[in-house]
Amino acid sequence: MSELKIRTRAVGATAVLKGKELPVVTSETGGEINIVTSVSQPGFNPLDLLYASLSACIALSARIAASKLGVSEKLAGVRVHVTGEKAHDEPSRVASFNIDIEIDGDLDPGTRRQIVEKAEEICTVSNTLRGDAQFVTTLRD
C-alpha cells in the first residue's frame, strides 16, 4: 500500500511600518492591504481584518459543508456578516463575535442549519478563535 503524503504550504502575512506611515500587510501569496486607523478612512483596520477573516472562512466553509451534505448544487450563495463587541476591561480584546449568515438556494431550514453547524466545525479561523492558540514571538536583530 502506498503512503499518502500531504504537503502543507506555509501561510502567513507580514506587516511593515515605515516611519510615520501606516502599515502595509503582504500575504505569502503576494496580496497586499494598506492598513488604516481612522474610521473615516476607506480600507481595513486590524479589527476589520479579523472580522473579514472570520466571515470569509465561514462563507467558504459553508460551501464545503454543503458539498459534504450533498446539496452543493442547491446552494446559490452565502452571505456572512461579522461584527464584534470589544471587552470593557483589560486586556484589549474582542469579547464576543456576532455572526449573521444568509444562505440562498433551494434548501429547507433544517439543511441550512446543518450547513451553518458544519461550517462552524470546518472553519479554521473560528476554531482558532474558540481555542487556546499558542503565540511564539521572536524579536529579530
Side-chain angles (χ1 to χ4, degrees), residues 9-22:
R9 180 175 62 87
V11 293
T14 302
V16 177
L17 181 127
K18 294 180 181 178
K20 295 187 186 265
E21 295 177 13
L22 294 171

PDB file of all heavy atoms in Angstrom, residues 9-22:
ATOM      1  N   ARG A   9       1.362  24.088   2.813  1.00  0.00           N
ATOM      2  CA  ARG A   9       2.032  25.289   2.345  1.00  0.00           C
ATOM      3  C   ARG A   9       2.112  26.258   3.509  1.00  0.00           C
ATOM      4  O   ARG A   9       1.146  26.444   4.232  1.00  0.00           O
ATOM      5  CB  ARG A   9       1.221  25.894   1.202  1.00  0.00           C
ATOM      6  CG  ARG A   9       1.807  27.147   0.631  1.00  0.00           C
ATOM      7  CD  ARG A   9       1.003  27.608  -0.575  1.00  0.00           C
ATOM      8  NE  ARG A   9      -0.363  27.925  -0.258  1.00  0.00           N
ATOM      9  CZ  ARG A   9      -0.788  29.110   0.170  1.00  0.00           C
ATOM     10  NH1 ARG A   9       0.065  30.078   0.358  1.00  0.00           N
ATOM     11  NH2 ARG A   9      -2.061  29.324   0.424  1.00  0.00           N
ATOM     12  N   ALA A  10       3.265  26.856   3.670  1.00  0.00           N
ATOM     13  CA  ALA A  10       3.400  27.867   4.721  1.00  0.00           C
ATOM     14  C   ALA A  10       2.554  29.070   4.346  1.00  0.00           C
ATOM     15  O   ALA A  10       2.615  29.550   3.222  1.00  0.00           O
ATOM     16  CB  ALA A  10       4.865  28.269   4.865  1.00  0.00           C
ATOM     17  N   VAL A  11       1.735  29.486   5.262  1.00  0.00           N
ATOM     18  CA  VAL A  11       0.921  30.676   5.020  1.00  0.00           C
ATOM     19  C   VAL A  11       1.217  31.675   6.113  1.00  0.00           C
ATOM     20  O   VAL A  11       1.571  31.309   7.226  1.00  0.00           O
ATOM     21  CB  VAL A  11      -0.593  30.356   4.986  1.00  0.00           C
ATOM     22  CG1 VAL A  11      -0.919  29.495   3.791  1.00  0.00           C
ATOM     23  CG2 VAL A  11      -1.058  29.685   6.257  1.00  0.00           C
ATOM     24  N   GLY A  12       1.062  32.913   5.784  1.00  0.00           N
ATOM     25  CA  GLY A  12       1.314  33.937   6.775  1.00  0.00           C
ATOM     26  C   GLY A  12       1.186  35.302   6.145  1.00  0.00           C
ATOM     27  O   GLY A  12       0.816  35.441   4.987  1.00  0.00           O
ATOM     28  N   ALA A  13       1.494  36.290   6.909  1.00  0.00           N
ATOM     29  CA  ALA A  13       1.439  37.661   6.443  1.00  0.00           C
ATOM     30  C   ALA A  13       2.499  38.468   7.159  1.00  0.00           C
ATOM     31  O   ALA A  13       2.892  38.138   8.280  1.00  0.00           O
ATOM     32  CB  ALA A  13       0.052  38.254   6.695  1.00  0.00           C
ATOM     33  N   THR A  14       2.958  39.513   6.509  1.00  0.00           N
ATOM     34  CA  THR A  14       3.962  40.394   7.080  1.00  0.00           C
ATOM     35  C   THR A  14       3.440  41.817   7.063  1.00  0.00           C
ATOM     36  O   THR A  14       2.963  42.292   6.032  1.00  0.00           O
ATOM     37  CB  THR A  14       5.267  40.326   6.259  1.00  0.00           C
ATOM     38  OG1 THR A  14       5.720  38.975   6.228  1.00  0.00           O
ATOM     39  CG2 THR A  14       6.341  41.217   6.852  1.00  0.00           C
ATOM     40  N   ALA A  15       3.492  42.482   8.193  1.00  0.00           N
ATOM     41  CA  ALA A  15       3.120  43.895   8.278  1.00  0.00           C
ATOM     42  C   ALA A  15       4.399  44.719   8.365  1.00  0.00           C
ATOM     43  O   ALA A  15       5.293  44.407   9.161  1.00  0.00           O
ATOM     44  CB  ALA A  15       2.243  44.160   9.491  1.00  0.00           C
ATOM     45  N   VAL A  16       4.492  45.745   7.539  1.00  0.00           N
ATOM     46  CA  VAL A  16       5.663  46.620   7.541  1.00  0.00           C
ATOM     47  C   VAL A  16       5.201  48.048   7.804  1.00  0.00           C
ATOM     48  O   VAL A  16       4.299  48.549   7.134  1.00  0.00           O
ATOM     49  CB  VAL A  16       6.419  46.546   6.192  1.00  0.00           C
ATOM     50  CG1 VAL A  16       7.588  47.525   6.181  1.00  0.00           C
ATOM     51  CG2 VAL A  16       6.894  45.127   5.922  1.00  0.00           C
ATOM     52  N   LEU A  17       5.801  48.670   8.797  1.00  0.00           N
ATOM     53  CA  LEU A  17       5.501  50.053   9.158  1.00  0.00           C
ATOM     54  C   LEU A  17       6.796  50.840   9.018  1.00  0.00           C
ATOM     55  O   LEU A  17       7.805  50.470   9.602  1.00  0.00           O
ATOM     56  CB  LEU A  17       4.978  50.120  10.596  1.00  0.00           C
ATOM     57  CG  LEU A  17       4.607  51.496  11.079  1.00  0.00           C
ATOM     58  CD1 LEU A  17       3.185  51.462  11.618  1.00  0.00           C
ATOM     59  CD2 LEU A  17       5.559  51.943  12.152  1.00  0.00           C
ATOM     60  N   LYS A  18       6.760  51.890   8.194  1.00  0.00           N
ATOM     61  CA  LYS A  18       7.955  52.713   7.990  1.00  0.00           C
ATOM     62  C   LYS A  18       7.682  54.120   8.481  1.00  0.00           C
ATOM     63  O   LYS A  18       6.741  54.762   8.024  1.00  0.00           O
ATOM     64  CB  LYS A  18       8.331  52.745   6.512  1.00  0.00           C
ATOM     65  CG  LYS A  18       8.769  51.415   5.965  1.00  0.00           C
ATOM     66  CD  LYS A  18       9.121  51.517   4.493  1.00  0.00           C
ATOM     67  CE  LYS A  18       9.542  50.157   3.978  1.00  0.00           C
ATOM     68  NZ  LYS A  18       9.836  50.184   2.552  1.00  0.00           N
ATOM     69  N   GLY A  19       8.489  54.566   9.412  1.00  0.00           N
ATOM     70  CA  GLY A  19       8.353  55.922   9.926  1.00  0.00           C
ATOM     71  C   GLY A  19       6.954  56.203  10.438  1.00  0.00           C
ATOM     72  O   GLY A  19       6.415  55.459  11.237  1.00  0.00           O
ATOM     73  N   LYS A  20       6.357  57.271   9.951  1.00  0.00           N
ATOM     74  CA  LYS A  20       5.026  57.669  10.389  1.00  0.00           C
ATOM     75  C   LYS A  20       3.935  57.153   9.455  1.00  0.00           C
ATOM     76  O   LYS A  20       2.769  57.492   9.612  1.00  0.00           O
ATOM     77  CB  LYS A  20       4.943  59.181  10.518  1.00  0.00           C
ATOM     78  CG  LYS A  20       5.848  59.717  11.612  1.00  0.00           C
ATOM     79  CD  LYS A  20       5.621  61.188  11.831  1.00  0.00           C
ATOM     80  CE  LYS A  20       6.625  61.725  12.812  1.00  0.00           C
ATOM     81  NZ  LYS A  20       6.172  61.782  14.160  1.00  0.00           N
ATOM     82  N   GLU A  21       4.318  56.349   8.455  1.00  0.00           N
ATOM     83  CA  GLU A  21       3.334  55.787   7.529  1.00  0.00           C
ATOM     84  C   GLU A  21       2.504  54.716   8.231  1.00  0.00           C
ATOM     85  O   GLU A  21       2.901  54.174   9.269  1.00  0.00           O
ATOM     86  CB  GLU A  21       4.038  55.156   6.328  1.00  0.00           C
ATOM     87  CG  GLU A  21       4.780  56.136   5.453  1.00  0.00           C
ATOM     88  CD  GLU A  21       5.512  55.443   4.318  1.00  0.00           C
ATOM     89  OE1 GLU A  21       5.260  54.250   4.066  1.00  0.00           O
ATOM     90  OE2 GLU A  21       6.345  56.108   3.680  1.00  0.00           O
ATOM     91  N   LEU A  22       1.367  54.396   7.663  1.00  0.00           N
ATOM     92  CA  LEU A  22       0.543  53.314   8.174  1.00  0.00           C
ATOM     93  C   LEU A  22       1.090  51.986   7.656  1.00  0.00           C
ATOM     94  O   LEU A  22       1.723  51.937   6.599  1.00  0.00           O
ATOM     95  CB  LEU A  22      -0.917  53.506   7.753  1.00  0.00           C
ATOM     96  CG  LEU A  22      -1.592  54.734   8.370  1.00  0.00           C
ATOM     97  CD1 LEU A  22      -2.948  54.958   7.732  1.00  0.00           C
ATOM     98  CD2 LEU A  22      -1.728  54.572   9.870  1.00  0.00           C
TER      99      LEU A  22
END
